Each structure stands twice: as C-alpha cells, then as structure tokens.
Amino acid sequence: RKVAKERRRSAELDVLIKKLYETYAMGKLEEKRFELLCAEYEKEQAEVKRLQQAADKLRQHSFTTLRLGAYTSVTRQWLPAILAAYRDICPDTEVSISMGDSVGTYEAVRNDELDCAVVSYQPHLCQGLSWTHLRDDELVAILPADCGGDNGSYRVENFTGQHFLMPSSGFDLDILPALSVHGRKAAPVIRNTYMDDPSIVSMVEHKLGVSILSNLVMQSIDGDVNILPLDPPAYRKLGIITTPHHLNGKNVRRFIRCAQDTLAKLYNER
C-alpha cells in the first residue's frame, strides 16, 4: 500500500513540475518563485524515487527456505556447526529441519517434501537420487557393563542366541548387514523395538538385551554399558541425498559445501 502511494505521488510530481514549467514559460510566474518551487518538487521527487528503488530491491530479494531432513544423531552432533556456517553465507535462507528414519526420509526427498537430507547410504532407496558422501560412522556393540569382548572388540558371532534390541524402524538397514560380513554370520534373537536410542542403551544397561548403534549416536548418550568396536569392523556411510533438480539449486549446493567443509574441520582433516 505504501509503495502504491509513493508511485501515485511520483506521477503527481511529474504533472506538477510540467505545469510549473508551462506557467513559467507563459510569464505567469516570477523566476525566483519558479526556482524555489522547482527545487522543492524535484527534491521530493528524488526522495520518492529513492524509496521506490529501495522497495523494489527488497521485493526482488529472495527469502527462501531449505527443507532439510536428518537423523537425530546428525541433528545433535553435526547440524549446529554446519548450520552456523551455512547461515554466514546464506543469511536470508530459513532452514526447517525434519527428523525421521531412513525409509521415510528417502521418500520425503523423492516426493519433494524435503530439498535434501543427511542420511545413511541405502542403494535400493537411493536410485534416481543424488548422493554426496560425507563420512563413515563406525558401528559399535552395545553390551552390559560386565560383558567383555576379545582384544578390545566384539566378534559378531557372539551375538548368536542373544536377545538383540533392534532400534526403531528403518535403522535395521544399517545394522543387519553388520551381522553378516565376509562370511561371518550371527543369529541373534532379534526383538524389533520402537524405542529411541537412549531407551535402547538403558535397556542394555539393565541387562535386557544387547544392540548395535553407531559412534555418532553414542556421543550424546550416557549409560553404564560396554561399547566395543565390531569384529569385523562395520560402518554406515553418512551423506546427503537430494534430487537432481534440487542439486542444481544454490541453497542445496551451498549446504553440501558447508557440510563438507565443517566436518573436515571438525575431524581435523584440513
């Protein structure tokens, strides 16, 4: 409304200045009076045009939103530093964060409900999407405090016959492959749960089962449990998925670059 009012006033000033010159040319206005009025009108017109240009620039400025998906562990351990760096280069871009499991997050990206997401690599879910690898996250055995391993690690075969607490739906995609690596297989009694990671750790602490989580997950969880690397070692590959369409957008490209640079600094890789 204010912009429209300024445009109307600008048009009015154009008419007034034109009439002023016509009146002066006909000898109906003294030169001193003409110069005074002309200066006032032109000053006001210059101010109106300045305000119009500022309004046009503000209207053309792009205020956008980056819709980002991530696991809870990524949100806690990585995103604060990544988003701080991202805000420095994209101060006018709002970031909305959605947390979910692997299957749901992949589908949200594929259905254009998210622009990109930080997830673990799942080949069958990633078809048709763009993948940028960030870092391998080691999987570790979560055991009761009095349960030891062999030479500082835990053989996957030792899970056989034990009550195994599988984290909430979707994360079994990362864990199940670790139970069968290089021909070495484990046959635990799997109990699928709908519990979050801290609840899984608490259950293990009270000797209600064992589990596998990742180093990144365990960084933010306290518990009187024994955490051992697996033998053979196993990892989940964490990275960023997006659609080819969104990969061409500057917001997603800049977020990917910020994530790469921030994690390199975080893990002293540069």
Side-chain angles (χ1 to χ4, degrees):
R1 186 177 299 176
K2 186 175 180 180
V3 172
K5 182 178 180 181
E6 290 169 350
R7 291 189 186 281
R8 287 196 299 272
R9 182 54 180 167
S10 180
E12 290 172 359
L13 288 170
D14 285 339
V15 174
L16 287 172
I17 291 174
K18 181 179 179 181
K19 288 184 176 180
L20 188 64
Y21 274 94
E22 291 175 349
T23 302
Y24 174 71
M26 294 172 62
K28 296 181 179 181
L29 187 66
E30 295 180 358
E31 183 175 354
K32 187 175 181 180
R33 181 64 175 167
F34 166 74
E35 292 176 352
L36 179 62
L37 291 174
C38 191
E40 289 179 358
Y41 287 152
E42 289 179 346
K43 181 180 179 181
E44 183 181 356
Q45 189 179 53
E47 178 63 15
V48 169
K49 288 183 177 180
R50 185 190 69 79
L51 292 174
Q52 284 180 335
Q53 290 172 353
D56 290 341
K57 185 177 181 180
L58 183 62
R59 189 172 57 255
Q60 293 169 3
H61 199 72
S62 179
F63 290 89
T64 59
T65 299
L66 176 69
R67 301 168 300 168
L68 174 65
Y71 297 155
T72 301
S73 57
V74 171
T75 303
R76 288 176 176 171
Q77 302 299 328
W78 286 359
L79 281 191
I82 293 173
L83 293 181
Y86 184 73
R87 183 178 58 188
D88 289 341
I89 63 173
C90 297
D92 297 322
T93 300
E94 296 290 335
V95 179
S96 64
I97 303 172
S98 300
M99 293 184 289
D101 63 17
S102 292
V103 175
T105 303
Y106 268 91
E107 285 302 308
V109 171
R110 191 180 304 279
N111 295 334
D112 199 28
E113 297 167 9
L114 294 172
D115 299 319
C116 61
V118 184
V119 294
S120 60
Y121 180 65
Q122 307 297 340
H124 66 289
L125 296 177
C126 203
Q127 293 182 10
L129 298 177
S130 171
W131 164 264
T132 302
H133 179 256
L134 293 177
R135 190 169 183 83
D136 290 346
D137 183 23
E138 185 177 13
L139 299 179
V140 291
I142 309 300
L143 311 167
D146 59 358
C147 181
D150 302 311
N151 298 318
S153 62
Y154 195 74
R155 295 169 60 86
V156 294
E157 296 91 338
N158 292 343
F159 285 114
T160 298
Q162 297 200 61
H163 288 282
F164 188 95
L165 305 175
M166 187 65 73
S168 57
S169 177
F171 294 103
D172 56 339
L173 297 175
D174 295 317
I175 294 172
L176 287 176
L179 297 174
S180 179
V181 181
H182 305 310
R184 297 169 57 179
K185 296 183 179 180
V189 180
I190 295 178
R191 296 172 58 189
N192 291 306
T193 75
Y194 295 93
M195 296 183 290
D196 59 12
D197 298 328
S199 298
I200 291 283
V201 173
S202 180
M203 297 285 280
V204 173
E205 183 177 358
H206 289 84
K207 300 183 179 182
L208 296 175
V210 296
S211 191
I212 291 176
L213 296 172
S214 80
N215 270 331
L216 193 67
V217 168
M218 293 307 297
Q219 284 180 20
S220 60
I221 301 177
D222 294 324
D224 186 17
V225 294
N226 196 9
I227 304 170
L228 293 175
L230 298 175
D231 177 20
Y235 303 85
R236 63 173 181 172
K237 296 182 179 295
L238 293 178
I240 299 173
I241 58 168
T242 187
T243 61
H245 168 71
H246 285 299
L247 186 61
N248 293 325
K250 65 179 181 180
N251 285 341
V252 171
R253 291 201 313 270
R254 288 174 177 175
F255 177 79
I256 292 173
R257 186 62 181 172
C258 279
Q260 292 171 326
D261 292 345
T262 300
L263 293 180
K265 293 176 183 177
L266 187 63
Y267 291 97
N268 296 316
E269 294 174 351
R270 288 187 181 178

